[in-house]
């Protein structure tokens, strides 16, 4: 998504609590220690965790619910979030993700195509150390486009705090300096580091306002646009800052800083279609998500969770007869400002736009953050439409209606691109109770991992809600 309790012992407790559940799914995280996730394990007619009453399901609901599996979706999430990691719009990592998604949908016998479009240049950095850095974080960062690129430097680390001349030790020649980032002083801070002979500047992001934590970033140095700074300048996230300072407190260490410029980029939407009984010109029901991430974020919840929901529903719905054409769309470069979905909508002639019954956008549908107990129906216009109505109806049948928000005005995800041209669409997401702006601490950070930020119970409920709603619309 763009910038923008205790376990259930009674029916009104939150979905996805993790404190003392006994049903556990153990997964291996890239050779690291195993991590346990609560595994959804309810029968079709059981009252769901967090629901207010047992479900009252239609035969169509049962057709979907009997088949959807968050545990199966998890295998795709491992491939995207752990196998590929950050998926930056237009770069090779995003293309690997697009190819993975397209292959899976092709295997399900959908008609699959990649829709290319151009996107802005990217400037990335990677941190490493001969002694090793903590393996539970990704160490991608942002690089300044106005400093040294396509290079690697290394040196002993020194923390110069606020970065004023008096904060420097006697000699930092050839060393990598950690500097607290202050936007208004960034060029002065870099100039001081260069004058002192530093090999690289690692800007440390300021702390976010709790519960939010800050992201990695590419520092801009406008005054150096015509004469680039001769050393790498990178920006790390709050979590990376904390780990670097902890590592330095434990003793001297060397840090390698690599920067890279990615220019002339092409991003891709992945579009998969199965024509319904109404034929090639019939109505369309779309289920969508974005598969790219921000710099440094493995994107387990934002929006790996929505992506794997689409893949799992594509598997379940592939052989169920429906009247409407089923279309699954995975958007590229959402994090740059809904670039992929807006490109797609612009290419649609009016007669194609008129075919849409509803677009179900899924952005951040599985966080394990305890306060994210409300499932939000988010409409760019603030008005209800076919998509919000069908999900609300599915929630009522599943016994979740009091936990579902009223239709709430909010853009900042790919539903906006469709609503801007009058197509019924909405975004669906687990967030804090009071406002859809209350997002989990790992949002847009290196901590958006399966281990820290995924609830299989919430993912299962999301699969059921969207699966039942999409099937009811297409039926």
């Amino acid at each position: 998504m763009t910038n923008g309790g205790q376990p259930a012992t009674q029916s009104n407790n939150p979905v996805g609590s993790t404190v003392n559940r006994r049903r556990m799914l153990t997964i291996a995280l890239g050779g690291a220690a195993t991590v346990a996730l609560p595994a959804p394990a309810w029968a079709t007619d059981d009252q769901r965790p967090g629901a207010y009453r047992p479900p009252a399901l239609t035969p169509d609901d049962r057709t979907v619910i009997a088949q959807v599996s968050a545990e199966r979706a998890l295998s795709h999430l491992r491939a995207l979030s752990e196998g590929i990691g950050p998926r930056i719009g237009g770069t090779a990592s995003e293309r690997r993700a697009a190819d993975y998604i397209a292959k899976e949908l092709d295997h399900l016998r959908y008609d699959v195509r990649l829709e290319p479009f151009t996107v802005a240049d990217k400037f990335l950095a990677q941190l490493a150390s001969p002694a090793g850095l903590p393996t539970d974080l990704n160490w991608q960062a942002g690089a300044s486009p106005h400093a040294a690129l396509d290079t690697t430097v290394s040196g002993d680390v020194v923390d110069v705090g606020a970065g004023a001349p008096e904060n420097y030790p006697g000699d930092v020649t050839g060393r990598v300096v950690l500097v607290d980032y202050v936007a208004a002083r960034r060029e002065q801070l870099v100039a001081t580091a260069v004058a002192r002979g530093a090999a690289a500047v690692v800007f440390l992001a300021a702390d976010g306002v709790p519960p939010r934590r800050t992201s990695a970033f590419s520092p801009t140095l406008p005054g150096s646009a015509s004469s680039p700074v001769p050393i790498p300048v990178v920006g790390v996230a709050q979590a990376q800052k904390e780990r670097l300072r902890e590592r330095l407190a434990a003793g001297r260490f060397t840090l390698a800083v690599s920067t890279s410029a990615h220019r002339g980029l092409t991003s891709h939407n992945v579009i998969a279609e199965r024509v319904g009984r109404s034929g090639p010109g019939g109505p369309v029901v779309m289920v969508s998500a974005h598969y790219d991430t921000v710099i440094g974020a493995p994107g387990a919840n934002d929006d790996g969770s929505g992506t794997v929901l689409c893949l799992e529903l594509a598997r379940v719905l592939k052989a169920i007869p429906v009247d409407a054409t089923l279309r699954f769309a995975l958007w590229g470069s959402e994090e740059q400002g809904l670039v992929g979905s807006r490109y797609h909508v612009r290419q649609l002639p009016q007669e194609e736009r008129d075919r849409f019954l509803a677009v179900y956008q899924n952005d951040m549908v599985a966080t394990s953050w305890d306060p994210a107990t409300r499932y939000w129906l988010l409409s760019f216009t603030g008005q209800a439409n076919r998509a919000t109505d069908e999900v609300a109806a599915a929630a009522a049948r599943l016994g979740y209606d009091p936990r579902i928000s009223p239709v709430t005005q909010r853009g900042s995800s790919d539903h906006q691109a469709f609503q801007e041209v009058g197509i019924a669409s909405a975004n669906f997401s687990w967030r804090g109770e009071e406002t859809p702006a209350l997002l989990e601490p790992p949002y847009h950070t290196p901590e958006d991992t399966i281990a820290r930020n995924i609830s299989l119970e919430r993912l299962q409920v999301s699969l059921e809600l969207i699966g039942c709603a999409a099937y009811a619309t297409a039926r």
Side-chain angles (χ1 to χ4, degrees):
M1 186 188 73
T2 57
N3 286 351
Q6 295 295 310
T9 56
Q10 299 179 2
S11 62
N12 61 349
N13 277 349
V15 173
S17 302
T18 61
V19 178
N20 58 24
R21 291 201 177 278
R22 294 295 182 259
R23 302 187 307 273
M24 307 299 282
L25 175 69
T26 299
I27 60 172
L29 297 180
T34 59
V35 178
L37 296 181
W42 52 78
T44 300
D45 291 309
D46 286 351
Q47 182 166 328
R48 274 68 172 158
Y52 282 72
R53 58 171 174 75
L57 302 173
T58 68
D60 288 347
D61 294 335
R62 293 174 183 277
T63 299
V64 174
I65 288 171
Q67 299 182 65
V68 293
S69 169
E71 295 178 49
R72 188 178 286 107
L74 180 62
S75 65
H76 297 304
L77 193 55
R78 287 176 178 165
L80 292 169
S81 182
E82 298 170 0
I84 297 174
R87 305 174 291 281
I88 312 305
T91 68
S93 63
E94 192 200 47
R95 181 57 191 264
R96 287 196 299 274
D99 288 343
Y100 175 88
I101 293 163
K103 180 179 178 181
E104 293 299 317
L105 292 166
D106 184 69
H107 179 73
L108 294 172
R109 299 186 181 279
Y110 284 84
D111 182 10
V112 182
R113 64 186 176 90
L114 294 182
E115 184 176 64
F117 53 94
T118 59
V119 292
D121 298 342
K122 305 296 185 302
F123 304 95
L124 305 178
Q126 192 71 34
L127 305 186
S129 175
L133 294 172
T135 58
D136 61 333
L137 286 186
N138 186 279
W139 288 94
Q140 185 184 75
S144 173
H146 306 128
L149 294 166
D150 298 315
T151 188
T152 298
V153 301
S154 62
D156 286 350
V157 176
V158 58
D159 188 346
V160 299
E166 61 269 21
N167 300 126
Y168 278 75
D171 183 16
V172 298
T173 302
R175 301 177 74 177
V176 174
V177 297
L178 310 183
V179 186
D180 290 324
Y181 182 71
V182 179
R185 299 181 56 236
R186 61 189 183 276
E187 293 186 285
Q188 176 186 348
L189 294 171
V190 170
T192 300
V194 171
R196 294 299 184 102
V201 171
V202 177
F203 273 133
L204 309 176
D207 289 354
V209 177
R212 292 289 301 280
R213 288 165 67 77
T214 46
S215 310
F217 60 104
S218 294
T220 58
L221 304 168
S224 302
S226 59
S227 180
V229 172
I231 64 173
V233 177
V234 308
V236 303
Q238 182 175 341
Q240 295 165 328
K241 170 183 73 174
E242 293 166 351
R243 295 306 185 84
L244 288 171
R245 282 186 160 154
E246 288 170 4
R247 178 65 185 82
L248 187 57
R252 173 180 170 182
F253 79 103
T254 297
L255 190 66
V257 179
S258 300
T259 60
S260 56
H262 303 261
R263 305 181 191 274
L265 301 181
T266 299
S267 183
H268 295 83
N269 298 323
V270 185
I271 312 294
E273 181 174 282
R274 175 194 145 206
V275 176
R277 291 177 297 204
S278 296
V284 172
V285 174
M286 177 178 278
V287 181
S288 61
H290 75 88
Y291 69 94
D292 67 310
T293 73
V294 299
I295 294 172
N301 191 41
D302 185 15
D303 187 25
S305 62
T307 299
V308 302
L309 177 146
C310 290
L311 291 175
E312 174 62 3
L313 289 183
R315 182 192 68 82
V316 169
L317 296 175
K318 67 177 180 177
I320 300 176
V322 291
D323 286 336
T325 289
L326 283 175
R327 197 171 287 169
F328 291 89
L330 290 309
W331 309 117
S333 297
E334 185 267 0
E335 298 291 6
Q336 299 170 51
L338 319 181
V339 180
S341 57
R342 281 182 166 146
Y343 175 84
H344 178 78
V345 171
R346 283 197 304 270
Q347 310 313 305
L348 296 174
Q350 189 60 49
E351 58 268 26
E352 281 296 305
R353 296 177 182 180
D354 292 341
R355 293 177 61 198
F356 282 88
L357 297 177
V359 177
Y360 296 93
Q361 170 70 11
N362 302 274
D363 198 344
M364 304 170 62
V365 298
T367 181
S368 59
W369 188 47
D370 280 348
T373 57
R374 174 153 287 199
Y375 187 79
W376 287 86
L377 314 184
L378 302 174
S379 165
F380 175 61
T381 65
Q383 303 299 309
N385 58 48
R386 181 73 179 271
T388 60
D389 288 348
E390 291 283 15
V391 172
R397 299 194 300 274
L398 281 161
Y400 272 108
D401 39 329
R403 179 133 345 260
I404 306 302
S405 80
V407 177
T408 301
Q409 185 173 19
R410 189 174 179 91
S412 300
S413 192
D414 294 297
H415 66 298
Q416 179 175 339
F418 289 85
Q419 288 194 274
E420 286 171 342
V421 298
I423 296 172
S425 181
N427 181 37
F428 304 95
S429 181
W430 289 104
R431 305 181 185 201
E433 189 77 20
E434 296 83 6
T435 167
L438 189 54
L439 302 171
E440 69 266 22
Y443 168 68
H444 276 189
T445 77
E447 296 173 300
D448 186 8
T449 63
I450 293 173
R452 283 188 170 90
N453 200 27
I454 291 295
S455 160
L456 291 186
E457 283 188 349
R458 285 194 178 126
L459 179 56
Q460 182 73 24
V461 173
S462 298
L463 282 162
E464 293 181 358
L465 288 168
I466 299 300
C468 290
Y471 185 32
T473 311
R475 186 74 175 84

